Amino acid sequence: MARDESDATPLTTRDALIEWFAQGEKPKDAFLIGTEHEKVPFYRADLAPVPYEGERGIGALLDGVQRATGWEPIIDAGRVIGLAAAEGGGAISIEPGGQFELSGAPLPDVHATSLELAQHLDAARAAADPLGIGFLTLGMSPKWTRGETPVMPKSRYRIMQAYMPKVGTLGLDMMLRTATVQVNLDFASEADMVRKMRVGLALQPVATALFANSPFTDGRPNGFLSRRSEIWRHTDPDRTGMLPRAFEPGFGYEAYADWLLDMPMYFVKRGETYHDVSGASFRDLMEGRLAALPGERATRSDWANHASTAFPEVRLKRFLEMRGADVGDPGMIAAQAAFWVGLLYDDAALDGALDLIDGWDAAAREALRAEVPRLGLAAEIGGRSVREVARDALGLAEAGLKARARRDGQGRDETLHLAPLHAIAASRTRAEDLLALYEGPWNGSVDPAFGACTF
């Protein structure tokens, strides 16, 4: 996330919290697509991680991209920690371990998101090449230990870094060593949000399997196809997971708001200062009873920022975020957008997806979530392999994209972006390809990944 919200409008009632979500509703013909992806930087000369400081650090990289794009710097405690486009809504941020993130602008189709990605990568490489920096297309840094990974100077991250070990065993690995890609999608109504949320949650492990791309940690295989996904299972049970309440009767904005109210806070931002209130209740902030900030009351920006610190497999803000995929190469980033747009933006495809997940109870969904990081397409649910389910889901997504009929300059519809996923469903995941290389031509070393797996 590039920058925290800034809106001092008071929030005094629970209804106002619920209404905040409802304000995201859009007519179907105004639906847009936002993509976000993280990429791990490294020095090409010695395959070392890139710190923030120095003439060839992340700060210098941001300065170079700023000069190339003209985007406005985002400042935290006197340091540039991101960039924001003056128009359009795009932004660049740095994640805790230096992962370089593009938060794309809301765009009309997958073709446009693919073009945006290409333009961003051109600008990033133009700034990175003179510094000797490359970017990995892997879902986890494959070589460095957590202790060897630099920490970025971003105020909210210091608060999170102190809190993570109190609530899980791998939260710091999540922060410092993983890289994801997500797509952000619109909804027309509360009922539309619920349908999309349920399909997104149930099929998120299927996406995790298709995009599995993080099989190495500390210079060797880690036993998983998506170690990134497994790490999230051990990060913070209060704010992560498959959100079973989304499948309960009556779920909607109110139930999600209640879940957020029960979720402990990280911080309250006032001016440029982040106040550590980790573990505190948002209800206490609404009532002016926070021990760390007595008398301070909640604002709209507090609620937006709090919502951004929830990390379920599908997150609701004023749009829906699909969060289950490892980052990959540019084709895979576009494929992730195409997969979910095809499933969720066409009514017939969405109906078909709801039929596909019908009969999966909470226990089955949780079991699938637990098995997929290790087994990938070989995991099973409802007596079927994930590979079989993935093929069905891809068929629905393809039909949905054909029905949208959004064409590029060569007359091609968005189904062209599904090609990498069809190939994976017919063969094996990118993670399995990498493991075969490690056991074969790479001779038991992950170092060749720094040449083979880069943007």
Side-chain angles (χ1 to χ4, degrees), residues 290-336:
L290 276 188
L293 292 169
E296 196 68 40
R297 293 182 179 270
T299 67
R300 285 171 62 92
S301 61
D302 292 329
W303 185 236
N305 292 336
H306 186 54
S308 78
T309 66
F311 308 117
E313 291 295 284
V314 177
R315 178 163 64 185
L316 174 63
K317 292 198 283 191
R318 282 188 280 190
F319 46 86
L320 286 167
E321 301 177 349
M322 306 293 122
R323 298 176 49 82
D326 292 357
V327 79
D329 61 34
M332 291 295 282
I333 292 173
Q336 197 241 13

Side-chain angles (χ1 to χ4, degrees), residues 357-407:
I357 67 173
D358 187 41
W360 298 1
D361 61 18
R365 293 190 300 269
E366 291 292 344
L368 183 65
R369 172 71 183 88
E371 291 176 359
V372 156
R374 181 171 55 88
L375 299 178
L377 296 169
E380 295 186 354
I381 186 168
R384 306 181 71 207
S385 71
V386 169
R387 185 185 303 278
E388 293 174 287
V389 177
R391 286 170 173 166
D392 287 348
L394 284 167
L396 292 168
E398 183 150 9
L401 294 175
K402 285 181 178 177
R404 275 169 54 82
R406 303 293 181 91
R407 302 191 180 279

Side-chain angles (χ1 to χ4, degrees), residues 27-186:
K28 186 175 180 179
D29 60 6
F31 284 0
L32 297 172
I33 304 162
T35 56
E36 302 180 34
H37 81 276
E38 303 162 356
K39 48 194 171 293
V40 175
F42 66 95
Y43 287 124
R44 294 186 183 276
D46 59 3
L47 312 185
V50 182
Y52 180 87
E53 298 81 6
E55 295 179 355
R56 297 170 55 238
I58 296 295
L61 178 62
L62 284 167
D63 288 343
V65 176
Q66 195 275 330
R67 289 192 297 272
T69 62
W71 288 12
E72 299 172 354
I74 301 170
I75 308 297
D76 182 349
R79 299 189 181 192
V80 178
I81 49 86
L83 303 170
E87 297 180 1
I92 291 169
S93 61
I94 50 174
E95 292 299 300
Q99 304 95 318
F100 208 71
E101 179 177 6
L102 171 68
S103 296
L107 296 169
D109 54 51
V110 184
H111 304 307
T113 67
S114 182
L115 177 60
E116 175 193 52
L117 173 60
Q119 293 170 339
H120 163 75
L121 291 175
D122 284 345
R125 283 190 291 257
D129 285 349
L131 304 178
I133 293 174
F135 300 101
L136 289 168
T137 59
L138 297 173
M140 183 172 187
S141 59
K143 185 177 175 71
W144 321 305
T145 66
R146 183 198 298 170
E148 292 170 332
T149 305
V151 179
M152 298 297 107
K154 198 168 176 178
S155 299
R156 65 182 280 170
Y157 293 159
R158 288 195 291 272
I159 295 170
M160 293 172 65
Q161 192 173 8
Y163 183 71
M164 286 291 182
K166 301 175 184 179
V167 292
T169 58
L170 295 177
L172 295 180
D173 279 320
M174 178 278 293
M175 292 180 65
L176 296 170
R177 301 207 281 175
T178 65
T180 189
V181 57
Q182 69 186 53
V183 61
N184 305 326
L185 300 172
D186 291 316

